[in-house]
């Protein structure tokens, strides 16, 4: 929603240009509406007692806030303890560096095929494409991720990546892509087909790649949650396991995990717990019969340490990726995940993407919101998303500086600044601070406003989706005065 | 760690340490739930997770298991030799309990991969307790009882002693002293069989792991 003067480089179409396609796609809207209604109802059923929800949530938010307050310290402790456990720790400032590290490890091991558990950070890295370019096949094994990989698409939701597709679409896709697979409406049969194909992929994979939900500094433990078992298989069956994660996933103690886990699974899918909670603290030890013989962890920054510089914006890093904010967002539920054209869609994406990619590339995202506060009400770690949206809108036109570097706090701060918009506000201030001028202008609008042509610049945008406002001949002030109100006190 | 990774490490930690300090909040109190009847809660939640629970005794469980497996027409059962549960079954089979052929998980996964991935019908493990709140089993794989035993076979059978129930995960972590004792290579919480709802939020079981989970609940003092 940048004013006309905003300069946008030639990147992909922005949110407002993409939204109409989704809004005019009844099938897509039905798929999302149904899925989101289901997820909202299931989540609500998991938090029947408001007092307990408040208590648990306060604890979860504090656990993450405390971990962030000690972030550099905890990362060092995590590294020390993982290393002592035999896990090799790598650091990457950018997604390119992270890709190079993963590729290097795979090449050194002579790996040709990789099986992947669900990982949003690997999506952020575009890891599959990178490996593909170097002759390594990466197969997604989470059913939802597998489906969208077959379709050549990207996730539209961070927990349920193929939520935009219905059964019939998936049945067609399987029939087309899986040899000897007939069309079927039976979800069990579709699931069985995926199991059959992926079992072989698991058995033959040279390496497994996964994300991480919580990394425990105290014990050097990687906690992964899932329902399918593909995460466990990816991290147990192949001889090599590489985990990739953002630096913000570290928590201090093992005792910090239970409250966060309780919040995460209930908020995400309305489950009291996922089928599997997989806690990995090292590679196969001497005498053990299975598990990878080498485990690596890649710690990715990719803009997070910059987000960390601003104490208010750093709240973004508390996120545990439960997706409740998108499930409850009146915008997301209508346009779906692809409209955001970003790895992380919905409310969390609207605050995270502009901070990671910069306000030039994604400065429109914080505007794709009504600030209704639904996201902040359900966020299990109490991230004040609407406040941060407003803050980012401000950073896009009037950036604050980091004292040490004199750089804008947010990458490309000021990118949405435009002389036209400044002019409008300057004019507004002029009129509103001068009572005489104000009366003259309002009178003039009351008399002549209805003759402003619908094609006039601001009117045109406004009336695209709304009825044209009609000016009454008399202002509210006039009417109030007539009724005897003067400065809010009746005469 | 490569030089590039070392540089990245120094830069990332440098930026984080240079950032303005912020106070870490004290943790507000949180009282996880407790249950007067842990077993009842466990049963209710485990069944809601689609697990099947059978009450057994320390002496009759191999016989009960044999009946269960034969009713299902299973071809074999993989066990962990060197564990109390695995050894008890070997002994029971020798004494004539009509168990299906027992396949020992006695070599590395590399040697057993084909059997594990394609041939084994069921796997039997012990447990290190369970969690009442969520109907969850705690598994602590060891050198004797490998990780994949509870994952690759289509049926997972877990033996759980009634007196090892904890109210919550928080209580289990604390009472079993996980952090102090040191974590195993892989600790697992298992709540039901493998499942997915990725296709139209319709539940389907056994997408990658077991289709079924049977819990043999060993009652105390019988
Ligand atoms: S911002 Fe909050 S609600 Fe949204 S995904 Fe993150 S933790 Fe969940």
């Amino acid at each position: 929603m940048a004013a006309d003067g905003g300069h946008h480089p030639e990147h992909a179409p922005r949110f407002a240009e993409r939204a109409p396609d989704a809004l005019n796609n009844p099938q897509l809207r039905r798929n999302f509406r149904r899925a989101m209604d289901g997820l909202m109802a299931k989540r609500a059923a998991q938090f029947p007692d408001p007092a307990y929800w408040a208590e648990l949530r306060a604890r979860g938010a504090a656990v993450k806030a405390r971990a962030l307050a000690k972030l550099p310290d905890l990362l060092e402790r995590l590294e020390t303890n993982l290393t002592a456990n035999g896990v090799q720790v790598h650091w990457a400032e950018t997604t390119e560096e992270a890709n190079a590290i993963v590729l290097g490890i795979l090449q050194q091991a002579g790996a040709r095929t990789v099986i992947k558990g669900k990982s949003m950070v690997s999506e952020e890295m575009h890891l599959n494409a990178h490996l593909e370019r170097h002759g390594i096949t990466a197969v997604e094994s989470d059913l939802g991720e597998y489906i969208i990989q077959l379709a050549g698409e990207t996730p539209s939701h961070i927990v349920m990546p193929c939520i935009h597709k219905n059964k019939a679409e998936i049945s067609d896709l399987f029939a087309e892509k899986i040899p000897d697979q007939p069309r079927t409406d039976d979800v069990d049969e579709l699931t069985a087909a995926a199991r059959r194909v992926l079992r072989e992929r698991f058995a033959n994979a040279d390496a497994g790649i996964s994300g991480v939900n919580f990394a425990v500094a105290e014990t050097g433990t990687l906690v992964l949650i899932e329902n399918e078992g593909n995460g466990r298989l990816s991290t147990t069956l192949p001889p090599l396991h590489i985990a990739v994660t953002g630096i913000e996933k570290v928590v201090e103690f093992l005792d910090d995990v239970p409250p966060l886990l309780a919040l995460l699974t209930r908020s995400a899918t309305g489950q009291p717990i996922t089928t599997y909670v997989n806690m990995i603290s090292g590679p196969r030890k001497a005498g053990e019969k299975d598990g990878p013989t080498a485990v690596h962890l890649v710690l990715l920054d990719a803009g997070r340490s910059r987000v960390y510089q601003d104490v208010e914006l750093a709240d973004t890093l508390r996120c545990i990726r439960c997706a409740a904010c998108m499930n409850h967002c009146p915008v997301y539920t209508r346009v779906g995940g692809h409209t955001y054209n970003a790895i992380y869609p919905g409310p969390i994406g609207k605050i995270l993407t502009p901070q990671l990619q910069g306000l030039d590339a994604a400065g429109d995202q914080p505007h794709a919101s009504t600030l209704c506060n639904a996201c902040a009400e359900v966020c299990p770690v109490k991230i004040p998303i609407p406040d941060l949206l407003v803050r980012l809108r401000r950073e896009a036109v009037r950036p604050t500086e980091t004292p040490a570097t004199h750089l804008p706090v947010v990458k490309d701060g000021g990118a949405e600044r435009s002389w036209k918009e400044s002019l409008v506000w300057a004019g507004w201030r002029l009129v509103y601070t001068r009572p005489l001028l104000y009366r003259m202008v309002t009178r003039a609008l009351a008399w002549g406003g209805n003759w402003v042509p619908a094609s006039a610049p601001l009117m045109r945008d406004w009336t695209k989706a709304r009825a044209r406002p009609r000016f009454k001949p008399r202002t509210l002030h006039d009417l109030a005065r007539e009724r005897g109100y003067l400065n809010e006190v009746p005469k | 760690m490569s030089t590039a990774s070392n540089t990245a490490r120094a830069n990332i930690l440098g930026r984080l340490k240079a950032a303005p300090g912020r106070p870490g909040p004290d943790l507000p109190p949180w009282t996880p739930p407790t249950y007067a009847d842990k077993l009842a809660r466990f049963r209710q939640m485990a069944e809601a997770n689609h697990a099947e629970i059978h009450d057994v005794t320390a002496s009759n469980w191999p016989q009960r298991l044999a009946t269960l497996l034969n009713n299902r027409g299973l071809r074999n059962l993989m066990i962990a030799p060197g564990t109390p549960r695995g050894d008890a079954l070997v002994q029971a089979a020798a004494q004539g309990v009509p168990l299906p052929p027992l396949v020992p998980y006695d070599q590395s996964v590399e040697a057993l991969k084909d059997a594990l991935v394609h041939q084994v019908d069921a796997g039997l493990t012990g447990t290190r307790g369970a969690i009442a709140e969520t109907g969850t089993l705690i598994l602590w794989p060891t050198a004797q009882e490998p990780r994949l035993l509870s994952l690759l076979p289509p049926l997972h059978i877990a033996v759980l002693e009634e007196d090892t129930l904890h109210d919550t995960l928080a209580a289990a972590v604390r009472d079993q002293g996980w952090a102090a004792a040191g974590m195993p290579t892989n600790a697992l919480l298992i709540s039901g069989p493998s499942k997915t709802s990725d296709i139209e939020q319709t539940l389907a079981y056994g997408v990658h792991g077991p289709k079924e989970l049977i819990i043999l609940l060993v009652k105390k003092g019988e």
Side-chain angles (χ1 to χ4, degrees), chain A residues 292-316:
Chain A
T293 48
V295 177
H296 296 257
L297 175 70
V298 181
L299 288 167
L300 174 67
D301 181 346
R304 290 160 172 83
S305 62
R306 183 167 185 163
V307 176
Y308 189 74
Q309 301 301 315
D310 184 281
V311 176
E312 183 189 20
L313 292 170
D315 282 351
T316 312

Side-chain angles (χ1 to χ4, degrees), chain A residues 330-403:
Chain A
V331 177
Y332 176 91
T333 51
R334 283 166 180 78
V335 298
H338 288 151
T339 303
Y340 296 82
N341 201 23
I343 304 299
Y344 302 97
I348 177 60
K350 283 184 266 197
I351 56 171
L352 187 57
T353 312
Q355 296 189 71
L356 298 187
Q357 295 184 0
L359 286 161
D360 197 13
D364 63 329
Q365 298 251 345
H367 294 275
S369 167
T370 63
L371 304 179
C372 76
N373 214 43
C375 48
E377 272 174 26
V378 295
C379 176
V381 287
K382 296 169 96 168
I383 301 177
I385 298 175
D387 295 349
L388 299 185
L389 288 169
V390 172
R391 170 75 193 277
L392 289 169
R393 291 178 185 184
R394 199 168 67 230
E395 292 297 328
V397 291
R398 200 176 287 175
T400 43
E401 272 181 4
T402 308

Side-chain angles (χ1 to χ4, degrees), chain A residues 214-278:
Chain A
F214 310 109
V216 185
E218 171 189 34
T219 53
T221 301
L222 307 177
V223 182
L224 280 69
I225 65 164
E226 50 143 352
N227 284 315
E228 297 185 2
N230 67 306
R232 281 185 65 196
L233 277 172
S234 304
T235 57
T236 315
L237 191 50
L240 168 65
H241 168 211
I242 305 171
V244 293
T245 192
I247 53 172
E248 79 282 18
K249 293 284 175 68
V250 63
V251 296
E252 188 166 6
F253 300 116
L254 212 49
D255 282 339
D256 293 339
V257 173
L260 290 176
L261 188 65
L263 286 164
L264 175 54
T265 62
R266 286 175 170 90
S267 301
T269 48
Q271 293 175 271
I273 193 167
T274 46
T275 300
Y276 300 115
V277 178
N278 182 8

Side-chain angles (χ1 to χ4, degrees), chain A residues 439-452 459 468-480 482:
Chain A
R439 276 202 292 279
M440 282 161 59
V441 170
T442 44
R443 189 116 327 143
L445 274 175
W447 285 334
N450 292 332
W451 278 276
V452 176
M459 195 65 103
R468 186 191 163 130
R470 312 296 306 185
F471 290 94
K472 293 287 180 205
R474 313 190 51 217
T475 66
L476 184 63
H477 281 175
D478 293 340
L479 297 175
E482 198 175 280

